[in-house]
Amino acid sequence: MANRNNSQGKIITGRKSARARKRKWRFVLFGVELLILAGVLTWVWTNAKMDKIQTDETFEAKDVKNEELTKETRDVLGEYTTIALFGLDNRDSNSYNSGNSDVIMVARIDKDTKEVRLVSVYRDTYLKMADLDNTEAYSKANAAYAVGGPQQAVRMLNTNLDLDIQEYVSFDFDAVAEAVDILGGVEVEVTEAEVVHLNNYCIETSEVTEKSYDPLPGAGTYNLNGVQAVSYGRIRYTAGDDFKRTERQRLVVNKMVEKALASDIGTINKLIDAVFPKIKTSLGKTEIAAMAMDAFNYKMGENAGFPFAKENKVVDISYQKADADCVIPVSLSANVKQLHDFLYGNTGYTVTESVESISDEITYRTGVTGESSE
């Protein structure tokens, strides 16, 4: 009798175990289905958002590729993602094919640590223009975009700085102002000297962006709205001139990133809907989606201005047939070595023959040979 009961108990226990295993697998399958559904919905949502961005299908990496870099240098650079950022001083909204690039930044993203480092290339830096018919033409860095659009601007950076940038993002006043407003403003300490120029710039910025603002009453710490933040980043007539201006621009970018990383999904969604249509980029949907997946893991690292060692001097820009106040690298080759150390940790970098030649030509044309006066 006992054996029969034991047998029945084993059968019942076995049936319960089988049912439990089936339920377990149902839960597992349900979980997998949910993950698949979430993945599909995320893919659909991401693609819908990506369609808002103006993609530059005419821009090809092969056209800006730096052929002079050694394999060793390419391997080092290949460990990071490097993108050129251009802020255009355009009065026509959604015009990204030309215009002076008053903001020129190189963004380097460490693929492992997700640390982002920014380097501002001073707009007045005297460099070789790379793609003009006159291949020996030298001018201010911001002229490259005005003459040949993003392709020439990227080639100018690659040629002069020994970089291998193959992607870019362009934006204008309106995109930045809109983003700042959606993020709820950026907190910045403004000096008495800056207030005067900020209020003056706000008049034009407000007209271009069709956004309102309140003049600042004096020095202090303020939560700047979009018009005010853009105007703050445009100031160049205080002590430090353009060098200080790029510091302001990087400060605004850092503040925006901090606010974005602390925002909820609703704010991010508004940001994407409003700003994506106001930028143009060579990045494709796949690259943007991959970067978006890591967006909340990014962190801002150190930032700097280029050239590190520099002098101001009025020089002849022959192809424009005019003299202009320029920022002269002292020397270009030494600055490029320092740049590769700062961005990529390449302390023993040796510049290419091309950069060495450009460096010598800048010295010859400007007569600047001494140490920086900064």
Side-chain angles (χ1 to χ4, degrees), residues 78-362:
E79 295 175 5
Y80 303 84
T81 298
T82 307
I83 302 172
L85 308 177
F86 301 110
L88 305 181
D89 184 9
N90 281 342
R91 301 302 183 268
D92 297 326
S93 183
N94 294 319
S95 177
Y96 306 101
N97 295 325
S98 63
N100 286 330
S101 50
D102 281 1
V103 176
I104 305 173
M105 290 186 183
V106 176
R108 184 235 65 185
I109 304 172
D110 189 311
K111 298 175 183 178
D112 295 324
T113 66
K114 309 303 179 186
E115 182 203 54
V116 180
R117 287 195 174 188
L118 292 177
V119 172
S120 297
V121 178
Y122 302 124
R123 50 160 279 172
D124 293 336
T125 306
Y126 189 69
L127 296 172
K128 185 177 180 180
M129 290 297 98
D131 277 1
L132 293 175
D133 292 337
N134 177 6
T135 57
E136 295 303 314
Y138 286 73
S139 184
K140 295 183 179 184
N142 72 336
Y145 203 110
V147 174
Q151 182 166 301
Q152 182 166 326
V154 172
R155 275 192 59 81
M156 179 272 296
L157 292 173
N158 286 342
T159 299
N160 288 274
L161 308 184
D162 270 356
L163 296 177
D164 194 26
I165 301 171
Q166 297 181 16
E167 306 289 357
Y168 82 90
V169 176
S170 293
F171 53 92
D172 57 17
F173 293 167
D174 199 30
V176 178
E178 187 72 25
V180 170
D181 283 341
I182 290 172
L183 291 170
V186 291
E187 188 174 285
V188 174
E189 183 178 355
V190 184
T191 67
E192 194 65 48
E194 290 172 333
V195 166
V196 176
H197 297 292
L198 186 152
N199 286 337
N200 287 336
Y201 275 120
C202 276
I203 298 172
E204 182 186 31
T205 304
S206 178
E207 292 175 353
V208 172
T209 62
E210 297 182 348
K211 292 177 175 293
S212 62
Y213 74 99
D214 292 321
L216 300 184
T221 299
Y222 298 94
N223 188 55
L224 304 182
N225 74 359
V227 170
Q228 294 165 334
V230 168
S231 299
Y232 176 78
R234 297 180 65 191
I235 299 171
R236 61 176 302 191
Y237 297 112
T238 60
D241 301 317
D242 195 40
F243 312 133
K244 187 64 178 177
R245 178 170 73 162
T246 62
E247 286 184 23
R248 296 186 187 101
Q249 292 168 352
R250 294 195 299 274
L251 175 63
V252 170
V253 170
N254 281 335
K255 295 281 186 179
M256 290 172 66
V257 171
E258 288 175 4
K259 292 289 288 282
L261 293 178
S263 298
D264 57 36
I265 190 64
T267 300
I268 296 300
N269 193 48
K270 289 180 183 177
L271 195 64
I272 291 172
D273 286 341
V275 177
F276 273 22
K278 298 179 180 181
I279 66 175
K280 189 170 186 176
T281 181
S282 60
L283 290 163
K285 286 185 179 181
T286 303
E287 290 86 356
I288 296 173
M291 294 177 69
M293 293 294 288
D294 283 331
F296 287 96
N297 295 321
Y298 292 157
K299 57 184 178 182
M300 299 304 293
E302 296 181 64
N303 60 74
F306 182 93
F308 302 92
K310 56 198 178 293
E311 287 187 12
N312 282 84
K313 186 174 183 178
V314 175
V315 296
D316 174 49
I317 301 180
S318 56
Y319 88 94
Q320 290 180 327
K321 299 180 180 179
D323 293 340
D325 190 5
C326 295
V327 176
I328 314 300
V330 186
S331 63
L332 179 63
S333 57
N335 275 284
V336 170
K337 289 179 182 179
Q338 190 172 347
L339 178 70
H340 280 252
D341 182 16
F342 178 78
L343 287 180
Y344 308 109
N346 195 349
T347 56
Y349 183 70
T350 301
V351 302
T352 59
E353 291 184 7
S354 177
V355 165
E356 200 67 69
S357 175
I358 294 171
S359 182
D360 291 342
E361 185 68 17
I362 290 174

Side-chain angles (χ1 to χ4, degrees), residues 68-79 340 344 346-350:
E68 293 194 43
L69 299 179
T70 64
K71 181 181 182 303
E72 181 182 7
T73 299
R74 290 188 189 282
D75 289 342
V76 172
L77 270 57
E79 295 175 5
H340 280 252
Y344 308 109
N346 195 349
T347 56
Y349 183 70
T350 301

